[in-house]
Amino acid sequence: MRRFLQLLCAVALGASLLHAQPAQALDPTWLVVGTSDPLLNENGDGYWESATIDVGTDADTAHWVLTTAAGQVVAEADLTAEQLSLAQHGAGTISVSSATVGKVLAAGTYTVTVTATSTGEEPTTRSTTIHVSTAPRLAAPTRSASTFYPRDTLPGVAHAVTLRQGGLDATISELATPRIEIVGPDGHVVGPWNVDHDNPTLRWNGEEWDVLQPAGTYRARLAVHDGNQTVYGPLSQPFTLSWGYRVQVTSTATRTANATRTATLTQRQARVRVVDGSLRYRAYNTDWRRQPLVRTAHRVTLPRDRAPGYWPVLVVRGPRQYDIDLDLEMVTREGDVRNIDVFTRVDTRSMIYPIPGRFIRSDGTVRFRLLWSSYGPTGTAGRVGRTDTISIQSVRYVWRGL
């Protein structure tokens, strides 16, 4: 009988175990963690002085931990009662800065981990990242020119201004969009234009949407937009947009031949005399064909406002019997004398020669020699010639629209 009762109890216990319900799993605690303000840059300029973590939870308690990229714990704390109350309405925040952490953070990426716990619920953990920069305050862009002339097409002046932004931090550039904008004379903002961190420059030709902006004084500044706010750097030094432009004008400065003469070097079987500023030559009745009969030294000064890149032109005028009666020697900067064989034009009334730079001295003077010979038949009377004027033709720029 006893064995029968034991067997009956065992059967009843087995049946109860087979029909027992499993224990229900605990629901996880509701927790949401994120950030729309992940940048920390405590340099005293009033921007990004703290990073903000957004927290929403219905937990009884919550704890946050700040760790480095290597996993080292930097700081941790419980959410205060006020923070927790706001978090229960989806508006809780954790502010990360040197004040809340207790020390200045080194540059780098950090993880903020929040664990929320409620009675009768499974604890929940969520995390997000923040980025710390130690860059100095935003600097003003530097300008390449104090004045530029977009309507001008000739060399020698700036046709656009290049604005370069220095000290652009890589962390800030990664999390925000750096731009350069230009502030006009009436406060009108032109731009902005995005700039590249690796080459933070902007070349501005004075236009916006292909429309030339008003002439006047402008300044540039850095504008960094992080999705929540736009942070402005200081204004650059002023620069001027001018509508002025230049045109090329060829001018001629003419003097008498004698006014440019500095010496008479040779009078061989001939004579030279001055009449009304002209140099008048006459050959004696003899045959001197191998050497010039008259050699005179001359000096002219080129206009200081001549356009760079254009050779000034020497023009010698005066009648002679044959085009080969007059020859030219140029004196280099070093004092060497070079005979000239190639001219733009030579005839019985003029000689035209473009002056290369090697014959122009630093003070803008040019030295040369005129060689007169008479190639008329020996014994022919009236073997004469003369040089009346020496002219310098040069290209210069004249401003319009200033």
Side-chain angles (χ1 to χ4, degrees):
M1 186 67 175
R2 177 191 246 174
R3 289 181 62 114
F4 175 76
L5 291 176
Q6 289 177 344
L7 181 60
L8 185 62
C9 289
V11 171
L13 178 61
S16 65
L17 290 176
L18 289 174
H19 291 85
Q21 296 293 328
Q24 291 185 352
L26 299 179
D27 292 332
T29 302
W30 174 66
L31 174 64
V32 177
V33 176
T35 178
S36 59
D37 184 21
L39 180 60
L40 174 63
N41 179 218
E42 297 181 276
N43 57 18
D45 62 359
Y47 303 110
W48 305 306
E49 297 296 328
S50 65
T52 303
I53 309 301
D54 302 316
V55 180
T57 184
D58 57 1
D60 298 330
T61 61
H63 185 79
W64 63 268
V65 179
L66 178 67
T67 56
T68 66
Q72 180 182 1
V73 176
V74 177
E76 60 180 315
D78 290 331
L79 264 66
T80 65
E82 181 181 1
Q83 288 175 317
L84 199 57
S85 176
L86 292 173
Q88 289 170 352
H89 294 84
T93 60
I94 301 172
S95 178
V96 180
S97 66
S98 59
T100 58
V101 172
K103 63 179 179 179
V104 177
L105 296 176
T109 301
Y110 294 77
T111 300
V112 178
T113 303
V114 180
T115 300
T117 305
S118 290
T119 303
E121 294 181 342
E122 187 75 20
T124 302
T125 299
R126 299 282 187 270
S127 63
T128 188
T129 56
I130 65 171
H131 304 270
V132 177
S133 168
T134 56
R137 298 186 181 192
L138 298 179
T142 58
R143 51 169 174 69
S144 61
S146 58
T147 303
F148 68 106
Y149 307 87
R151 298 175 66 188
D152 187 86
T153 59
L154 299 173
V157 300
H159 301 145
V161 62
T162 298
L163 303 166
R164 174 172 289 276
Q165 181 62 52
L168 202 54
D169 182 66
T171 300
I172 296 177
S173 299
E174 181 181 354
L175 298 176
T177 303
R179 302 167 178 170
I180 291 179
E181 63 183 25
I182 298 170
V183 182
D186 57 354
H188 172 68
V189 175
V190 184
W193 293 272
N194 293 352
V195 293
D196 183 15
H197 172 264
D198 295 328
N199 184 28
T201 59
L202 169 67
R203 184 180 184 274
W204 187 47
N205 63 356
E207 296 181 357
E208 184 181 31
W209 301 108
D210 297 327
V211 176
L212 185 63
Q213 296 301 296
T217 301
Y218 290 78
R219 294 172 180 263
R221 66 186 176 190
L222 182 67
V224 182
H225 184 68
D226 65 358
N228 296 318
Q229 62 179 341
T230 298
V231 179
Y232 295 100
L235 291 170
S236 70
Q237 291 293 318
F239 51 91
T240 301
L241 186 160
S242 173
W243 281 14
Y245 61 95
R246 295 167 298 164
V247 295
Q248 294 180 354
V249 175
T250 301
S251 60
T252 302
T254 301
R255 301 178 66 190
T256 64
N258 188 56
T260 66
R261 183 178 60 158
T262 59
T264 298
L265 304 177
T266 302
Q267 288 189 90
R268 182 183 293 112
Q269 299 298 321
R271 70 175 183 177
V272 58
R273 61 193 182 95
V274 179
V275 178
D276 296 330
S278 298
L279 300 180
R280 301 201 175 188
Y281 316 107
R282 179 176 293 274
Y284 296 154
N285 189 12
T286 185
D287 185 9
W288 275 72
R289 306 236 180 192
R290 298 178 182 273
Q291 298 291 335
L293 302 180
V294 177
R295 179 186 279 111
T296 53
H298 298 259
R299 179 178 60 198
V300 294
T301 301
L302 303 179
R304 293 188 178 274
D305 62 347
R306 68 186 186 277
Y310 296 90
W311 288 6
V313 178
L314 174 66
V315 181
V316 180
R317 289 189 175 90
R320 47 194 175 274
Q321 292 176 309
Y322 298 95
D323 56 2
I324 60 175
D325 282 358
L326 194 65
D327 203 357
L328 177 67
E329 292 178 340
M330 299 296 296
V331 182
T332 67
R333 300 190 191 102
E334 296 77 18
D336 299 327
V337 178
R338 298 286 186 267
N339 183 260
I340 304 302
D341 298 318
V342 179
F343 299 89
T344 301
R345 189 179 75 185
V346 176
D347 55 34
T348 58
R349 300 196 64 84
S350 64
M351 171 191 291
I352 300 177
Y353 174 66
I355 305 173
R358 65 179 180 275
F359 296 129
I360 302 174
R361 296 170 180 258
S362 59
D363 60 357
T365 59
V366 176
R367 299 174 184 269
F368 59 93
R369 298 173 180 181
L370 295 178
L371 290 64
W372 181 80
S373 300
S374 176
Y375 285 88
T378 302
T380 301
R383 292 167 60 191
V384 296
R386 74 175 192 255
T387 299
D388 294 329
T389 60
I390 305 293
S391 299
I392 293 293
Q393 294 178 352
S394 60
V395 176
R396 63 189 182 94
Y397 298 145
V398 177
W399 282 100
R400 300 279 191 268
L402 292 174

